[in-house]
């Protein structure tokens, strides 16, 4: 069974800032179907907002951003966030990541923001840096 995880926006941003690191390798492996990204409308919108705002810096056109988003969605499992979630993080902007990981049953978030997402561990969510998750993907 393929690994499933919620990919934080900062991982996607890092993937296109440098195509040499674990973040880009995770994106590449996602495109090859080696793992499944869990997404919600909220998360896809956040991906789009951040990538389009920084497209020039990342060396991407707006059309290329749309193609990247389409590639992610093609290899993703979409979930609709349910109302009534009780927040567990101090930063409400990160809360949908935890909710999505929990409600989808993936129970895994890939992020560069380990410190802010650490409380998710108490809810049974594994919080991994891209390199740590990449090691799991390559281990099969």
């Amino acid at each position: 069974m393929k690994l499933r995880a919620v990919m934080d926006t900062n991982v996607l941003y890092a993937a296109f800032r440098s195509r040499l690191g674990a973040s880009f390798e995770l994106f590449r492996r996602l495109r090859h179907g080696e793992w499944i990204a869990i997404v919600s409308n909220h998360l896809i919108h956040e991906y789009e907002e951040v990538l389009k705002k920084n497209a020039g810096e990342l060396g991407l056109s707006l059309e290329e951003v749309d193609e990247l988003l389409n590639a992610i969605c093609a290899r993703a499992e979409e979930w609709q966030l349910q109302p009534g979630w009780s927040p567990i993080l101090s930063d409400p902007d990160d809360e949908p990541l935890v909710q999505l990981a929990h409600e989808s049953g993936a129970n895994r978030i890939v992020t560069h923001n380990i410190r802010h997402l650490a409380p998710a561990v108490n809810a049974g969510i594994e919080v991994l840096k891209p390199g740590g998750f990449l090691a799991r993907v390559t281990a099969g």
Side-chain angles (χ1 to χ4, degrees):
M1 187 167 177
K2 290 181 187 172
L3 287 175
R4 299 164 67 240
V6 175
M7 179 173 55
D8 196 348
T9 306
N10 60 41
V11 175
L12 190 56
Y13 175 82
F16 292 95
R17 273 204 63 185
S18 169
R19 289 164 173 80
L20 302 175
S23 296
F24 184 77
E25 184 61 17
L26 280 177
F27 174 76
R28 191 185 73 72
R29 288 175 182 260
L30 175 66
R31 288 197 64 181
H32 285 99
E34 295 179 37
W35 67 281
I36 299 168
I38 307 299
V39 299
S40 64
N41 285 341
H42 176 273
L43 188 56
I44 291 294
H45 178 73
E46 185 176 300
Y47 288 170
E48 180 180 33
E49 183 180 358
V50 169
L51 291 178
K52 285 189 173 180
K53 182 174 87 176
N54 297 289
E57 172 190 331
L58 298 173
L60 298 170
S61 69
L62 297 181
E63 293 78 20
E64 288 170 322
V65 170
D66 288 337
E67 289 173 17
L68 293 172
L69 295 171
N70 287 338
I72 291 167
C73 290
R75 296 290 184 191
E77 198 178 291
E78 187 176 344
W79 285 79
Q80 184 174 345
L81 297 177
Q82 300 300 310
W85 175 258
S86 297
I88 62 172
L89 302 176
S90 59
D91 184 352
D93 290 341
D94 289 331
E95 203 67 51
L97 296 172
V98 178
Q99 183 180 0
L100 184 57
H102 176 76
E103 290 180 359
S104 69
N107 295 322
R108 190 175 292 115
I109 299 171
V110 183
T111 183
H112 287 287
N113 195 0
I114 297 288
R115 186 171 51 95
H116 290 125
L117 290 167
V121 173
N122 298 328
I125 309 293
E126 188 175 25
V127 180
L128 298 160
K129 286 196 171 202
F133 184 63
L134 180 59
R136 300 245 181 112
V137 170
T138 57

